[in-house]
PDB file of all heavy atoms in Angstrom:
ATOM      1  N   MET A   7      46.087 -24.146 -78.315  1.00 52.00           N
ATOM      2  CA  MET A   7      45.852 -23.311 -77.152  1.00 52.00           C
ATOM      3  C   MET A   7      46.178 -21.873 -77.542  1.00 52.00           C
ATOM      4  O   MET A   7      47.311 -21.447 -77.408  1.00 52.00           O
ATOM      5  CB  MET A   7      46.733 -23.777 -75.987  1.00 52.00           C
ATOM      6  CG  MET A   7      46.617 -22.927 -74.767  1.00 52.00           C
ATOM      7  SD  MET A   7      47.512 -23.567 -73.330  1.00 52.00           S
ATOM      8  CE  MET A   7      49.198 -23.519 -73.874  1.00 52.00           C
ATOM      9  N   VAL A  13      41.785 -17.705 -68.604  1.00 95.00           N
ATOM     10  CA  VAL A  13      41.563 -18.716 -67.575  1.00 95.00           C
ATOM     11  C   VAL A  13      40.072 -18.880 -67.325  1.00 95.00           C
ATOM     12  O   VAL A  13      39.576 -20.002 -67.208  1.00 95.00           O
ATOM     13  CB  VAL A  13      42.306 -18.331 -66.276  1.00 95.00           C
ATOM     14  CG1 VAL A  13      41.869 -19.201 -65.117  1.00 95.00           C
ATOM     15  CG2 VAL A  13      43.809 -18.428 -66.474  1.00 95.00           C
ATOM     16  N   VAL A  16      38.231 -21.547 -69.306  1.00 93.00           N
ATOM     17  CA  VAL A  16      38.654 -22.947 -69.249  1.00 93.00           C
ATOM     18  C   VAL A  16      38.583 -23.540 -67.842  1.00 93.00           C
ATOM     19  O   VAL A  16      38.422 -24.736 -67.669  1.00 93.00           O
ATOM     20  CB  VAL A  16      40.097 -23.074 -69.812  1.00 93.00           C
ATOM     21  CG1 VAL A  16      40.595 -24.495 -69.749  1.00 93.00           C
ATOM     22  CG2 VAL A  16      40.157 -22.548 -71.242  1.00 93.00           C
ATOM     23  N   MET A  17      38.671 -22.701 -66.828  1.00 94.00           N
ATOM     24  CA  MET A  17      38.757 -23.186 -65.442  1.00 94.00           C
ATOM     25  C   MET A  17      37.497 -23.949 -65.016  1.00 94.00           C
ATOM     26  O   MET A  17      36.426 -23.780 -65.583  1.00 94.00           O
ATOM     27  CB  MET A  17      38.968 -22.008 -64.488  1.00 94.00           C
ATOM     28  CG  MET A  17      37.774 -21.106 -64.348  1.00 94.00           C
ATOM     29  SD  MET A  17      38.147 -19.722 -63.244  1.00 94.00           S
ATOM     30  CE  MET A  17      36.514 -19.006 -63.062  1.00 94.00           C
ATOM     31  N   THR A  18      37.674 -24.774 -64.019  1.00 94.00           N
ATOM     32  CA  THR A  18      36.557 -25.448 -63.378  1.00 94.00           C
ATOM     33  C   THR A  18      36.003 -24.499 -62.331  1.00 94.00           C
ATOM     34  O   THR A  18      36.746 -24.003 -61.483  1.00 94.00           O
ATOM     35  CB  THR A  18      37.030 -26.749 -62.701  1.00 94.00           C
ATOM     36  OG1 THR A  18      37.579 -27.601 -63.709  1.00 94.00           O
ATOM     37  CG2 THR A  18      35.904 -27.450 -61.969  1.00 94.00           C
ATOM     38  N   ARG A  41      37.792 -37.479 -57.336  1.00 91.00           N
ATOM     39  CA  ARG A  41      38.791 -37.885 -58.337  1.00 91.00           C
ATOM     40  C   ARG A  41      39.619 -36.699 -58.821  1.00 91.00           C
ATOM     41  O   ARG A  41      39.799 -36.483 -60.020  1.00 91.00           O
ATOM     42  CB  ARG A  41      38.135 -38.593 -59.510  1.00 91.00           C
ATOM     43  CG  ARG A  41      37.505 -39.893 -59.105  1.00 91.00           C
ATOM     44  CD  ARG A  41      36.933 -40.619 -60.259  1.00 91.00           C
ATOM     45  NE  ARG A  41      36.379 -41.877 -59.764  1.00 91.00           N
ATOM     46  CZ  ARG A  41      35.871 -42.792 -60.533  1.00 91.00           C
ATOM     47  NH1 ARG A  41      35.834 -42.622 -61.830  1.00 91.00           N
ATOM     48  NH2 ARG A  41      35.391 -43.890 -60.005  1.00 91.00           N
ATOM     49  N   VAL A  42      40.119 -35.943 -57.841  1.00 92.00           N
ATOM     50  CA  VAL A  42      40.977 -34.802 -58.134  1.00 92.00           C
ATOM     51  C   VAL A  42      42.301 -34.973 -57.398  1.00 92.00           C
ATOM     52  O   VAL A  42      42.379 -35.675 -56.394  1.00 92.00           O
ATOM     53  CB  VAL A  42      40.318 -33.456 -57.739  1.00 92.00           C
ATOM     54  CG1 VAL A  42      39.083 -33.199 -58.591  1.00 92.00           C
ATOM     55  CG2 VAL A  42      39.974 -33.408 -56.258  1.00 92.00           C
ATOM     56  N   GLY A  43      43.323 -34.303 -57.910  1.00 92.00           N
ATOM     57  CA  GLY A  43      44.637 -34.420 -57.323  1.00 92.00           C
ATOM     58  C   GLY A  43      44.993 -33.308 -56.359  1.00 92.00           C
ATOM     59  O   GLY A  43      46.015 -33.370 -55.688  1.00 92.00           O
ATOM     60  N   ALA A  44      44.129 -32.289 -56.277  1.00 95.00           N
ATOM     61  CA  ALA A  44      44.408 -31.168 -55.371  1.00 95.00           C
ATOM     62  C   ALA A  44      43.119 -30.395 -55.120  1.00 95.00           C
ATOM     63  O   ALA A  44      42.228 -30.371 -55.968  1.00 95.00           O
ATOM     64  CB  ALA A  44      45.455 -30.242 -55.967  1.00 95.00           C
ATOM     65  N   ILE A 115      46.334 -17.937 -59.587  1.00 97.00           N
ATOM     66  CA  ILE A 115      46.271 -17.142 -60.813  1.00 97.00           C
ATOM     67  C   ILE A 115      44.908 -16.454 -60.869  1.00 97.00           C
ATOM     68  O   ILE A 115      43.952 -16.933 -60.254  1.00 97.00           O
ATOM     69  CB  ILE A 115      46.542 -18.023 -62.060  1.00 97.00           C
ATOM     70  CG1 ILE A 115      46.942 -17.157 -63.242  1.00 97.00           C
ATOM     71  CG2 ILE A 115      45.372 -18.947 -62.353  1.00 97.00           C
ATOM     72  CD1 ILE A 115      47.914 -17.826 -64.171  1.00 97.00           C
ATOM     73  N   LEU A 121      45.915 -18.593 -70.925  1.00 93.00           N
ATOM     74  CA  LEU A 121      46.372 -19.974 -70.772  1.00 93.00           C
ATOM     75  C   LEU A 121      47.873 -20.074 -71.007  1.00 93.00           C
ATOM     76  O   LEU A 121      48.530 -20.954 -70.448  1.00 93.00           O
ATOM     77  CB  LEU A 121      45.618 -20.898 -71.717  1.00 93.00           C
ATOM     78  CG  LEU A 121      44.138 -21.076 -71.397  1.00 93.00           C
ATOM     79  CD1 LEU A 121      43.546 -22.196 -72.232  1.00 93.00           C
ATOM     80  CD2 LEU A 121      43.896 -21.313 -69.925  1.00 93.00           C
ATOM     81  N   VAL A 124      49.250 -19.524 -67.660  1.00 95.00           N
ATOM     82  CA  VAL A 124      49.068 -20.743 -66.861  1.00 95.00           C
ATOM     83  C   VAL A 124      50.114 -21.784 -67.233  1.00 95.00           C
ATOM     84  O   VAL A 124      50.775 -22.351 -66.363  1.00 95.00           O
ATOM     85  CB  VAL A 124      47.649 -21.323 -67.044  1.00 95.00           C
ATOM     86  CG1 VAL A 124      47.535 -22.698 -66.405  1.00 95.00           C
ATOM     87  CG2 VAL A 124      46.613 -20.378 -66.487  1.00 95.00           C
ATOM     88  N   ALA A 125      50.260 -22.032 -68.527  1.00 93.00           N
ATOM     89  CA  ALA A 125      51.213 -23.041 -68.990  1.00 93.00           C
ATOM     90  C   ALA A 125      52.638 -22.688 -68.562  1.00 93.00           C
ATOM     91  O   ALA A 125      53.394 -23.555 -68.120  1.00 93.00           O
ATOM     92  CB  ALA A 125      51.129 -23.187 -70.506  1.00 93.00           C
ATOM     93  N   MET A 128      52.905 -23.204 -64.709  1.00 95.00           N
ATOM     94  CA  MET A 128      52.910 -24.633 -64.389  1.00 95.00           C
ATOM     95  C   MET A 128      54.244 -25.269 -64.761  1.00 95.00           C
ATOM     96  O   MET A 128      54.787 -26.084 -64.010  1.00 95.00           O
ATOM     97  CB  MET A 128      51.758 -25.350 -65.085  1.00 95.00           C
ATOM     98  CG  MET A 128      50.429 -25.101 -64.455  1.00 95.00           C
ATOM     99  SD  MET A 128      49.131 -26.044 -65.302  1.00 95.00           S
ATOM    100  CE  MET A 128      47.792 -25.869 -64.131  1.00 95.00           C
ATOM    101  N   VAL A 133      54.082 -27.147 -61.158  1.00 94.00           N
ATOM    102  CA  VAL A 133      52.821 -27.347 -60.456  1.00 94.00           C
ATOM    103  C   VAL A 133      51.805 -27.964 -61.415  1.00 94.00           C
ATOM    104  O   VAL A 133      51.894 -27.803 -62.629  1.00 94.00           O
ATOM    105  CB  VAL A 133      52.263 -26.027 -59.857  1.00 94.00           C
ATOM    106  CG1 VAL A 133      53.195 -25.485 -58.805  1.00 94.00           C
ATOM    107  CG2 VAL A 133      52.012 -24.988 -60.922  1.00 94.00           C
ATOM    108  N   THR A 134      50.844 -28.656 -60.854  1.00 94.00           N
ATOM    109  CA  THR A 134      49.823 -29.323 -61.670  1.00 94.00           C
ATOM    110  C   THR A 134      48.451 -28.669 -61.542  1.00 94.00           C
ATOM    111  O   THR A 134      47.597 -28.889 -62.378  1.00 94.00           O
ATOM    112  CB  THR A 134      49.699 -30.799 -61.268  1.00 94.00           C
ATOM    113  OG1 THR A 134      49.369 -30.869 -59.876  1.00 94.00           O
ATOM    114  CG2 THR A 134      51.004 -31.550 -61.527  1.00 94.00           C
ATOM    115  N   HIS A 135      48.257 -27.893 -60.489  1.00 96.00           N
ATOM    116  CA  HIS A 135      46.966 -27.245 -60.240  1.00 96.00           C
ATOM    117  C   HIS A 135      47.189 -25.809 -59.803  1.00 96.00           C
ATOM    118  O   HIS A 135      48.089 -25.545 -59.008  1.00 96.00           O
ATOM    119  CB  HIS A 135      46.199 -27.961 -59.110  1.00 96.00           C
ATOM    120  CG  HIS A 135      45.848 -29.373 -59.429  1.00 96.00           C
ATOM    121  ND1 HIS A 135      46.764 -30.409 -59.340  1.00 96.00           N
ATOM    122  CD2 HIS A 135      44.692 -29.926 -59.834  1.00 96.00           C
ATOM    123  CE1 HIS A 135      46.166 -31.542 -59.682  1.00 96.00           C
ATOM    124  NE2 HIS A 135      44.910 -31.280 -59.986  1.00 96.00           N
ATOM    125  N   LEU A 136      46.351 -24.919 -60.310  1.00 97.00           N
ATOM    126  CA  LEU A 136      46.412 -23.519 -59.895  1.00 97.00           C
ATOM    127  C   LEU A 136      45.029 -23.064 -59.464  1.00 97.00           C
ATOM    128  O   LEU A 136      44.111 -23.008 -60.290  1.00 97.00           O
ATOM    129  CB  LEU A 136      46.891 -22.628 -61.047  1.00 97.00           C
ATOM    130  CG  LEU A 136      48.361 -22.677 -61.395  1.00 97.00           C
ATOM    131  CD1 LEU A 136      48.625 -21.917 -62.690  1.00 97.00           C
ATOM    132  CD2 LEU A 136      49.190 -22.104 -60.266  1.00 97.00           C
ATOM    133  N   PRO A 137      44.857 -22.746 -58.194  1.00 98.00           N
ATOM    134  CA  PRO A 137      43.592 -22.146 -57.776  1.00 98.00           C
ATOM    135  C   PRO A 137      43.440 -20.787 -58.466  1.00 98.00           C
ATOM    136  O   PRO A 137      44.415 -20.055 -58.635  1.00 98.00           O
ATOM    137  CB  PRO A 137      43.751 -21.980 -56.267  1.00 98.00           C
ATOM    138  CG  PRO A 137      44.797 -22.991 -55.900  1.00 98.00           C
ATOM    139  CD  PRO A 137      45.733 -23.031 -57.069  1.00 98.00           C
ATOM    140  N   VAL A 138      42.230 -20.482 -58.874  1.00 98.00           N
ATOM    141  CA  VAL A 138      41.938 -19.203 -59.522  1.00 98.00           C
ATOM    142  C   VAL A 138      41.250 -18.335 -58.475  1.00 98.00           C
ATOM    143  O   VAL A 138      40.258 -18.757 -57.866  1.00 98.00           O
ATOM    144  CB  VAL A 138      41.034 -19.390 -60.760  1.00 98.00           C
ATOM    145  CG1 VAL A 138      40.787 -18.059 -61.442  1.00 98.00           C
ATOM    146  CG2 VAL A 138      41.661 -20.399 -61.725  1.00 98.00           C
ATOM    147  N   GLY A 147      37.690 -20.629 -58.819  1.00 97.00           N
ATOM    148  CA  GLY A 147      37.863 -21.729 -59.758  1.00 97.00           C
ATOM    149  C   GLY A 147      39.192 -22.416 -59.526  1.00 97.00           C
ATOM    150  O   GLY A 147      39.938 -22.067 -58.611  1.00 97.00           O
ATOM    151  N   ILE A 148      39.463 -23.382 -60.373  1.00 97.00           N
ATOM    152  CA  ILE A 148      40.753 -24.067 -60.347  1.00 97.00           C
ATOM    153  C   ILE A 148      41.047 -24.500 -61.774  1.00 97.00           C
ATOM    154  O   ILE A 148      40.132 -24.784 -62.550  1.00 97.00           O
ATOM    155  CB  ILE A 148      40.767 -25.263 -59.364  1.00 97.00           C
ATOM    156  CG1 ILE A 148      42.193 -25.728 -59.123  1.00 97.00           C
ATOM    157  CG2 ILE A 148      39.861 -26.388 -59.845  1.00 97.00           C
ATOM    158  CD1 ILE A 148      42.358 -26.618 -57.904  1.00 97.00           C
ATOM    159  N   ILE A 149      42.323 -24.505 -62.108  1.00 96.00           N
ATOM    160  CA  ILE A 149      42.727 -24.973 -63.427  1.00 96.00           C
ATOM    161  C   ILE A 149      43.842 -25.986 -63.244  1.00 96.00           C
ATOM    162  O   ILE A 149      44.753 -25.782 -62.432  1.00 96.00           O
ATOM    163  CB  ILE A 149      43.122 -23.801 -64.355  1.00 96.00           C
ATOM    164  CG1 ILE A 149      43.306 -24.286 -65.780  1.00 96.00           C
ATOM    165  CG2 ILE A 149      44.313 -23.041 -63.835  1.00 96.00           C
ATOM    166  CD1 ILE A 149      43.231 -23.175 -66.813  1.00 96.00           C
ATOM    167  N   ALA A 150      43.734 -27.094 -63.952  1.00 94.00           N
ATOM    168  CA  ALA A 150      44.700 -28.184 -63.841  1.00 94.00           C
ATOM    169  C   ALA A 150      45.335 -28.441 -65.202  1.00 94.00           C
ATOM    170  O   ALA A 150      44.847 -27.958 -66.228  1.00 94.00           O
ATOM    171  CB  ALA A 150      43.997 -29.449 -63.339  1.00 94.00           C
ATOM    172  N   ARG A 151      46.404 -29.206 -65.191  1.00 92.00           N
ATOM    173  CA  ARG A 151      47.080 -29.535 -66.452  1.00 92.00           C
ATOM    174  C   ARG A 151      46.115 -30.162 -67.445  1.00 92.00           C
ATOM    175  O   ARG A 151      46.174 -29.893 -68.632  1.00 92.00           O
ATOM    176  CB  ARG A 151      48.239 -30.496 -66.205  1.00 92.00           C
ATOM    177  CG  ARG A 151      49.444 -29.844 -65.650  1.00 92.00           C
ATOM    178  CD  ARG A 151      50.574 -30.841 -65.580  1.00 92.00           C
ATOM    179  NE  ARG A 151      51.731 -30.227 -64.966  1.00 92.00           N
ATOM    180  CZ  ARG A 151      52.809 -30.888 -64.620  1.00 92.00           C
ATOM    181  NH1 ARG A 151      52.881 -32.187 -64.813  1.00 92.00           N
ATOM    182  NH2 ARG A 151      53.822 -30.262 -64.073  1.00 92.00           N
ATOM    183  N   GLY A 152      45.230 -31.009 -66.956  1.00 91.00           N
ATOM    184  CA  GLY A 152      44.257 -31.661 -67.836  1.00 91.00           C
ATOM    185  C   GLY A 152      43.369 -30.662 -68.555  1.00 91.00           C
ATOM    186  O   GLY A 152      42.971 -30.882 -69.706  1.00 91.00           O
ATOM    187  N   ASP A 153      43.042 -29.540 -67.903  1.00 90.00           N
ATOM    188  CA  ASP A 153      42.250 -28.494 -68.550  1.00 90.00           C
ATOM    189  C   ASP A 153      43.005 -27.907 -69.735  1.00 90.00           C
ATOM    190  O   ASP A 153      42.418 -27.606 -70.787  1.00 90.00           O
ATOM    191  CB  ASP A 153      41.903 -27.376 -67.553  1.00 90.00           C
ATOM    192  CG  ASP A 153      41.072 -27.873 -66.395  1.00 90.00           C
ATOM    193  OD1 ASP A 153      40.182 -28.730 -66.619  1.00 90.00           O
ATOM    194  OD2 ASP A 153      41.309 -27.414 -65.263  1.00 90.00           O
ATOM    195  N   LEU A 154      44.308 -27.720 -69.580  1.00 89.00           N
ATOM    196  CA  LEU A 154      45.128 -27.203 -70.685  1.00 89.00           C
ATOM    197  C   LEU A 154      45.175 -28.201 -71.837  1.00 89.00           C
ATOM    198  O   LEU A 154      45.043 -27.820 -73.000  1.00 89.00           O
ATOM    199  CB  LEU A 154      46.550 -26.906 -70.209  1.00 89.00           C
ATOM    200  CG  LEU A 154      46.720 -25.795 -69.195  1.00 89.00           C
ATOM    201  CD1 LEU A 154      48.184 -25.643 -68.823  1.00 89.00           C
ATOM    202  CD2 LEU A 154      46.171 -24.484 -69.697  1.00 89.00           C
ATOM    203  N   VAL A 155      45.349 -29.477 -71.502  1.00 88.00           N
ATOM    204  CA  VAL A 155      45.408 -30.509 -72.532  1.00 88.00           C
ATOM    205  C   VAL A 155      44.094 -30.567 -73.306  1.00 88.00           C
ATOM    206  O   VAL A 155      44.086 -30.656 -74.539  1.00 88.00           O
ATOM    207  CB  VAL A 155      45.760 -31.880 -71.913  1.00 88.00           C
ATOM    208  CG1 VAL A 155      45.617 -33.003 -72.932  1.00 88.00           C
ATOM    209  CG2 VAL A 155      47.167 -31.841 -71.332  1.00 88.00           C
ATOM    210  N   ARG A 156      42.959 -30.499 -72.598  1.00 88.00           N
ATOM    211  CA  ARG A 156      41.661 -30.508 -73.279  1.00 88.00           C
ATOM    212  C   ARG A 156      41.512 -29.305 -74.205  1.00 88.00           C
ATOM    213  O   ARG A 156      40.993 -29.413 -75.304  1.00 88.00           O
ATOM    214  CB  ARG A 156      40.522 -30.549 -72.260  1.00 88.00           C
ATOM    215  CG  ARG A 156      40.229 -31.951 -71.738  1.00 88.00           C
ATOM    216  CD  ARG A 156      38.966 -31.990 -70.894  1.00 88.00           C
ATOM    217  NE  ARG A 156      39.120 -31.283 -69.638  1.00 88.00           N
ATOM    218  CZ  ARG A 156      39.759 -31.771 -68.571  1.00 88.00           C
ATOM    219  NH1 ARG A 156      40.299 -32.965 -68.633  1.00 88.00           N
ATOM    220  NH2 ARG A 156      39.839 -31.072 -67.455  1.00 88.00           N
ATOM    221  N   ASP A 157      41.977 -28.145 -73.776  1.00 86.00           N
ATOM    222  CA  ASP A 157      41.889 -26.958 -74.611  1.00 86.00           C
ATOM    223  C   ASP A 157      42.770 -27.095 -75.850  1.00 86.00           C
ATOM    224  O   ASP A 157      42.375 -26.701 -76.954  1.00 86.00           O
ATOM    225  CB  ASP A 157      42.269 -25.697 -73.821  1.00 86.00           C
ATOM    226  CG  ASP A 157      41.963 -24.448 -74.611  1.00 86.00           C
ATOM    227  OD1 ASP A 157      40.755 -24.163 -74.798  1.00 86.00           O
ATOM    228  OD2 ASP A 157      42.918 -23.762 -75.048  1.00 86.00           O
TER     229      ASP A 157
END
Side-chain angles (χ1 to χ4, degrees):
M7 177 174 63
V13 168
V16 179
M17 70 182 189
T18 299
R41 295 183 179 184
V42 295
I115 199 147
L121 292 190
V124 171
M128 285 182 167
V133 296
T134 58
H135 297 79
L136 285 171
V138 182
I148 194 164
I149 190 161
R151 283 186 183 171
D153 299 321
L154 294 179
V155 171
R156 278 189 292 282
D157 189 69

